[in-house]
């Protein structure tokens, strides 16, 4: 059954393209014609120590890919395929894999470890391969070092693949014992210690019971802390990674160890190699994240016995932690600003300092100010940059009252540094810090303005000047301008930026044409800032926004002129089209929001729509999304006149709804369906069959990302509102889908936060559908068609009320639906509402809500219900 695959596997890695292609074809054919034989041959190849390393590695990789895939639906297919294989064949494959763990070749062992874990991930939940964990652990003590290492690595991967509830506690205890013993200093072999430490990292999620037992926890913590002192750098790094994971998983158990951990991390940050020091800083960032979450969730009052009290570790560590972090800021790298993905000790330290500021607020300021004052004027750029970075890092968290006086002193200094400092790093960080000042301390919510008539002009002049600086500085200057504009969003009729509007727009457009605009995200930043400047502008500058329309249209037109592009250039062109469509979207929303400008703008509508359609025709996913959003804005602005674009646009709408792979595109398109329904109302009718068919297909597909489903349900409501009683023919398809989704979303026991959030968005989508359908049929002779569905809708409202986990958005929509039922169905609903379990309690709860939106909906519902009952 098995066959000789060595040569084919080697050929599949050949330099010669033809040889490679031929080999890949043979492998594919073998797999399709005889899957069991194929997998058996691969596992035999991997297990055979006589074979070349390259063919064994590829054999293992193909095996792994035959068991797992990124896409959920493909993964399920592969799991089913493996489970349906003959048990005898599976047994032979597993025996080969376990045998490979003893191979002297490290690559073969490591590959086998991963494949064993993948199979365990499929079989253990099905109660198959029960003997696996036992056989891995049975002889771990008397094995040669390399086999011990491979076994520990396998246990680590297994913990990563399998969820804790499928491994019984007895096995968990034995795995942890083996792993922690492997980490012990008495274990002479470093490879074994490293594999054990990495395995512990994956096994921590299984250790709930063990961390609740003081003795076991003390032992695990001792071993982890000792491993951070290992002479081997990789073991130290892996041990700190374990500490980082423990800090979030077992925060509430850390108190007895926190002083020791501080000493270990401080030593590592000051003296150890970068990968280790970064993890040591990460430990404190992780503690900040935990405490920020707790303080946000409980609003800082722990008078009740809340389940996770805050231990204020950061507050207690402040006097020692802050100086340690400030030292790291002086360890910058020469080229960190040019490198997109740069990450080093200085950046990690600054990030952690920012989290500390958010955790403790005002208390941090007095600890950081002396460092800033001492270093900000030093001749060495590193000191000036570190001082600036420290200042920028503490601007979110402390109160405006505490920061405003300091910022008022610093602002002038910063503006001068941004134009005059000889060092690019300092300028880069200065521009970033100005952006943070404008983001957190400027805007309608801040009592004492830091930007006044007196300094506004100087700020704008300096930022526009900096936009001509090197790319990374210019990009940060754009960012600062973005927040400067955003802070004036609420002011009218006149914004302090109005006098500079033309100049700012011109400067940003100039940036987008720079030769080096592709570096440091500069072009993107310039367009994002332009959009924000337009979005936050006032009526006075509307004529200038109008003048921008033909300029941006021309830019978009130029990207469409047909030259043959390489794939790399095409990607860049697609990005630029996306930015320009995004810019037009903001302009359309701005000009469409008031009648006089909308009237003038309409002269461009045909040409703009023509450009968007041409963008679709060059078919690239990112463009689709941006152009689709812009078309949604155009439909909203043009209203019923949008109907003339539908014949040509419809096919692209359908393509968007069919785009399962790039589900964001699908989600955006579903949103545009809503925009079109609101714009065209009953003129949508000719397109509804096609749209509804596609939406129903989307809902029943298991390939579509779940996040697209709630907006699809909402769009049912949009369609029903647009076409009224014509929605009749879709009821028999839409209603059962809504009902089964409603039943699903009502059962939310044991959901985690992410699931609860999804459930609420699903409920909201379902309720918006019901609401739209009920309102769409109001005053129609066909209203009685909805009566059979009313009991189910009420049951859905009851079940959500009983669960007590609705968020405010759902609550408002839900009470609205109760009102819609009464309003549309009148006395037919009145009696049902009176009989329903919780309608009365739910209504009363909403009437006394603090949220005025909920209260308002409830008042309306009360009125509608009393009318329905009195009939």
């Amino acid at each position: 059954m098995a066959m000789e695959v060595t040569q084919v596997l080697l050929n599949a890695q050949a330099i010669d393209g033809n040889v490679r292609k031929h080999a890949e074809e043979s492998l594919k054919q073998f797999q399709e014609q005889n899957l069991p034989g194929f997998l058996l041959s691969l596992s035999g190849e991997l297990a055979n120590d006589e074979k070349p390393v390259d063919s064994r590695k590829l054999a293992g990789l193909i095996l792994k890919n035959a068991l797992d895939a990124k896409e959920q639906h493909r993964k399920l297919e592969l799991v089913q395929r493996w489970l349906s294989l003959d048990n005898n064949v599976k047994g032979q494959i597993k025996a080969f894999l376990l045998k490979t763990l003893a191979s002297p070749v490290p690559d073969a062992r490591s590959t086998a470890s991963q494949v064993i874990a993948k199979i365990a991930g499929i079989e253990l939940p099905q109660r198959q391969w029960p003997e696996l964990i036992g056989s891995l652990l049975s002889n771990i003590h008397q094995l040669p070092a390399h086999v011990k290492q491979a076994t520990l690595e396998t246990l680590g991967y297994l913990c990563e693949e399998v969820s804790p509830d499928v491994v019984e506690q007895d096995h968990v205890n034995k795995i942890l014992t083996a792993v922690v013993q492997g980490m012990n200093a008495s274990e002479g072999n470093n490879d074994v210690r490293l594999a054990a430490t990495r395995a512990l990292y994956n096994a921590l999620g299984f250790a709930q019971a063990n961390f609740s037992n003081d003795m076991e926890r003390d032992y695990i913590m001792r071993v982890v802390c000792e491993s951070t002192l290992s002479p081997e750098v990789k073991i130290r790094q892996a041990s700190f990674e374990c500490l980082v994971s423990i800090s979030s998983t077992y925060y509430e158990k850390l108190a007895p160890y926190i002083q020791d951990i501080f000493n270990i991390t401080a030593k590592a940050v000051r003296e150890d190699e970068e990968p280790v020091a970064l993890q040591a800083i990460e430990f404190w960032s992780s503690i900040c994240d935990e405490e920020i979450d707790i303080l946000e969730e409980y609003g800082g009052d722990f008078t009740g016995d809340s389940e996770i009290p805050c231990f204020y570790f950061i507050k207690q560590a402040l006097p020692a932690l802050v100086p340690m972090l400030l030292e790291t800021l002086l360890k910058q790298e020469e080229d960190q600003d040019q490198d997109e993905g740069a990450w080093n000790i200085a950046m990690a330290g600054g990030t952690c300092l920012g989290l500390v500021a958010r955790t403790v607020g005002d208390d941090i300021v007095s600890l950081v100010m002396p460092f800033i004052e001492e270093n900000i004027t030093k001749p060495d750029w590193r000191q000036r940059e570190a001082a600036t970075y420290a200042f920028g890092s503490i601007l979110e968290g402390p109160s405006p009252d505490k920061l405003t006086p300091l910022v008022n002193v610093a602002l002038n200094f910063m503006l001068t540094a941004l134009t005059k400092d000889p060092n690019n790093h300092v300028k880069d960080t200065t521009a970033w810090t100005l952006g943070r000042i404008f983001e957190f301390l400027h805007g309608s919510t801040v009592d004492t303005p830091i930007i006044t008539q007196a300094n506004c002009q100087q700020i704008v002049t300096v930022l526009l000047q900096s936009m001509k600086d090197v790319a990374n500085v210019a990009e940060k200057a754009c960012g600062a301008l973005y927040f400067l504009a955003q802070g004036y969003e609420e002011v009218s009729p006149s914004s302090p930026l109005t006098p500079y509007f033309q100049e700012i727009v011109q400067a940003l457009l100039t940036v987008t044409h720079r030769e080096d605009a592709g570096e440091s995200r500069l072009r993107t930043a310039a367009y994002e800032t332009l959009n924000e400047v337009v979005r936050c502008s006032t009526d006075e500058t509307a004529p200038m926004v109008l003048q921008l329309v033909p300029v941006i249209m021309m830019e978009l037109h130029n990207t469409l002129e047909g030259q043959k592009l390489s794939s790399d250039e095409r990607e860049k062109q697609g990005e630029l089209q996306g930015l320009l469509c995004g810019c037009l979207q903001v302009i359309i929303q701005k000009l469409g929001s008031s009648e006089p400008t909308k009237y003038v703008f309409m002269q461009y509508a045909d040409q703009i729509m023509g450009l968007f359609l041409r963008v679709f025709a060059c078919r690239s996913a990112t463009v689709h999304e941006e152009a689709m959003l812009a078309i949604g804005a155009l439909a909203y602005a043009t209203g019923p006149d949008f109907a003339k674009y539908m014949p040509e646009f419809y096919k692209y709408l359908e393509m968007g709804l069919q785009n399962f792979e790039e589900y964001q595109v699908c989600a955006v398109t579903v949103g545009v369906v809503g925009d079109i329904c609101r714009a065209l109302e009953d003129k949508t009718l000719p397109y509804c069959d096609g749209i509804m068919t596609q939406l129903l297909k989307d809902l029943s597909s298991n390939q579509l990302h779940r996040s697209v489903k709630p907006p699809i349900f909402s769009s049912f409501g949009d369609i029903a509102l647009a076409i009224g009683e014509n929605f009749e023919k879709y009821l028999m398809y839409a209603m059962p889908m809504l009902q089964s989704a409603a039943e699903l979303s009502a059962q939310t026991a044991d959901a985690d936060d992410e699931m609860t959030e999804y459930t609420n968005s699903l409920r909201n989508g379902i309720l918006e559908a019901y609401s739209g359908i009920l309102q769409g049929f109001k005053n129609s002779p066909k209203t009685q068609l909805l009566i059979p569905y009313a009991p189910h809708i009420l049951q859905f409202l009851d079940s959500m009320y009983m669960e007590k986990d609705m968020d405010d958005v759902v609550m408002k929509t839900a009470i609205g639906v109760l009102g819609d039922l009464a309003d549309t169905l009148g006395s037919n609903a009145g009696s049902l509402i009176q009989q329903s379990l919780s309608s009365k309690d739910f209504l009363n709860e909403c009437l006394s809500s603090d949220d005025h939106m909920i209260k308002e909906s409830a008042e309306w519902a009360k009125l509608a219900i009393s009318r329905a009952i009195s009939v």
Side-chain angles (χ1 to χ4, degrees), residues 538-556:
T538 58
D539 291 347
E540 306 175 282
T541 44
M544 297 184 230
V545 176
L546 264 169
Q547 289 169 7
L548 196 53
V549 178
V551 178
I552 303 292
M553 280 169 59
M554 195 63 209
E555 300 267 330
L556 186 54

Side-chain angles (χ1 to χ4, degrees), residues 648-660:
E648 225 187 315
F649 170 54
Y650 178 74
K651 63 175 179 204
Y652 297 114
L653 188 73
E654 204 161 47
M655 270 159 69
L657 294 176
Q658 286 163 353
N659 197 338
F660 292 158

Side-chain angles (χ1 to χ4, degrees), residues 441-592:
L441 297 169
H442 155 61
S444 54
T445 49
V446 184
D447 298 337
T448 38
I450 47 166
I451 301 173
T452 55
Q453 293 282 219
N455 61 12
C456 186
Q457 181 175 7
Q458 184 198 2
I459 291 171
V460 172
T461 308
V462 167
L463 292 179
L464 297 190
Q465 182 60 39
S466 287
M467 289 197 286
K468 299 177 184 147
D469 210 322
V470 292
N472 55 296
V473 175
E475 187 261 331
K476 302 282 192 312
C478 288
L481 187 56
Y482 176 97
F483 289 113
L484 181 66
Q486 194 178 73
Y488 289 126
E489 186 180 352
E490 316 265 297
V491 284
S492 63
S494 178
S495 155
L497 290 183
T498 297
Y500 316 109
F501 187 84
Q502 191 79 38
E503 204 182 335
I504 290 172
V505 168
Q506 199 43 62
L508 287 163
L509 288 172
T510 306
V511 171
T512 64
H513 290 285
R514 279 176 52 157
E515 290 286 303
D516 59 357
E519 291 170 29
S520 300
R521 282 190 69 251
L522 178 55
R523 183 178 286 116
T524 306
Y527 277 116
E528 281 170 359
T529 303
L530 178 60
N531 294 353
E532 198 61 7
V533 168
V534 168
R535 197 179 68 77
C536 300
S537 62
T538 58
D539 291 347
E540 306 175 282
T541 44
M544 297 184 230
V545 176
L546 264 169
Q547 289 169 7
L548 196 53
V549 178
V551 178
I552 303 292
M553 280 169 59
M554 195 63 209
E555 300 267 330
L556 186 54
H557 174 82
N558 292 340
T559 67
L560 293 161
E561 286 313 284
Q563 63 281 53
K564 281 275 168 268
L565 297 176
S566 68
S567 62
D568 192 30
E569 288 172 318
R570 180 167 296 121
E571 193 182 331
K572 285 204 176 81
Q573 174 202 33
E575 264 173 50
L576 179 56
Q577 287 173 350
L579 292 169
L580 291 163
C581 288
C583 186
L584 283 169
Q585 181 197 347
V586 174
I587 294 174
I588 292 166
Q589 285 166 332
K590 190 73 196 174
L591 297 173

Side-chain angles (χ1 to χ4, degrees), residues 285-314:
S285 292
S286 171
I287 295 281
C288 287
D289 285 333
E290 289 302 309
E291 297 197 344
I292 288 168
D293 281 351
I294 294 168
L295 294 168
E296 267 177 13
E297 197 165 325
Y298 295 103
D301 53 344
F302 296 110
T303 41
D305 46 357
S306 63
E307 58 235 73
I308 314 183
C310 182
F311 288 101
Y312 297 101
F313 290 139
I314 299 294

Side-chain angles (χ1 to χ4, degrees), residues 33 54 111-112 160 213 303 332 360 401 425 445 464 499 523 671 721 726 757 787 803 836:
Q33 286 163 1
D54 286 342
T111 308
E160 197 177 6
N213 172 319
T303 41
Q332 309 95 324
V360 302
D401 294 347
H425 292 285
T445 49
L464 297 190
R523 183 178 286 116
L721 269 175
N726 292 303
E757 193 177 318
I787 296 170
E803 283 280 346
S836 91

Side-chain angles (χ1 to χ4, degrees), residues 575-683:
E575 264 173 50
L576 179 56
Q577 287 173 350
L579 292 169
L580 291 163
C581 288
C583 186
L584 283 169
Q585 181 197 347
V586 174
I587 294 174
I588 292 166
Q589 285 166 332
K590 190 73 196 174
L591 297 173
S593 61
S594 79
E595 283 307 318
T597 51
K598 184 156 114 178
Y599 180 74
V600 188
F601 166 72
M602 281 308 144
Q603 62 180 338
Y604 295 115
D606 291 359
Q607 285 169 282
I608 289 185
M609 190 64 190
L611 285 170
F612 291 153
L613 291 170
R614 284 183 63 195
V615 169
F616 281 127
C618 37
R619 189 67 205 125
S620 128
T622 50
V623 168
H624 267 243
E625 203 172 327
E626 309 292 341
M628 200 48 97
L629 283 163
I631 285 176
L634 190 64
Y636 187 78
T638 48
D641 292 345
F642 190 81
K644 63 180 174 184
Y645 306 128
M646 281 303 287
E648 225 187 315
F649 170 54
Y650 178 74
K651 63 175 179 204
Y652 297 114
L653 188 73
E654 204 161 47
M655 270 159 69
L657 294 176
Q658 286 163 353
N659 197 338
F660 292 158
E661 281 68 47
E662 293 137 357
Y663 66 90
Q664 292 93 334
V665 176
C666 188
V668 163
T669 312
V670 172
V672 171
V673 168
D675 293 328
I676 288 172
C677 289
R678 284 184 285 278
L680 299 187
E681 295 181 330
D682 58 358
K683 287 188 182 169

Side-chain angles (χ1 to χ4, degrees), residues 50-111:
E50 326 257 273
K51 298 290 184 183
V53 176
D54 286 342
S55 68
R56 295 174 72 182
K57 261 170 72 175
L58 184 59
L61 183 67
I62 297 174
L63 255 181
K64 194 173 100 179
N65 291 339
L67 297 163
D68 194 15
K70 277 202 172 61
E71 292 86 23
Q72 199 51 41
H73 63 101
R74 177 78 183 127
K75 188 185 179 119
L76 293 170
E77 282 168 21
L78 293 173
V79 167
Q80 284 319 115
R81 188 175 84 170
W82 171 262
L83 289 171
S84 60
L85 281 177
D86 176 68
N87 283 336
N88 194 1
V89 172
K90 285 189 287 200
Q92 286 176 276
I93 293 173
K94 292 190 285 200
F96 273 138
L97 289 166
L98 289 168
K99 176 188 162 206
T100 312
L101 294 182
S103 164
V105 179
D107 279 336
R109 293 198 302 271
S110 181
T111 308

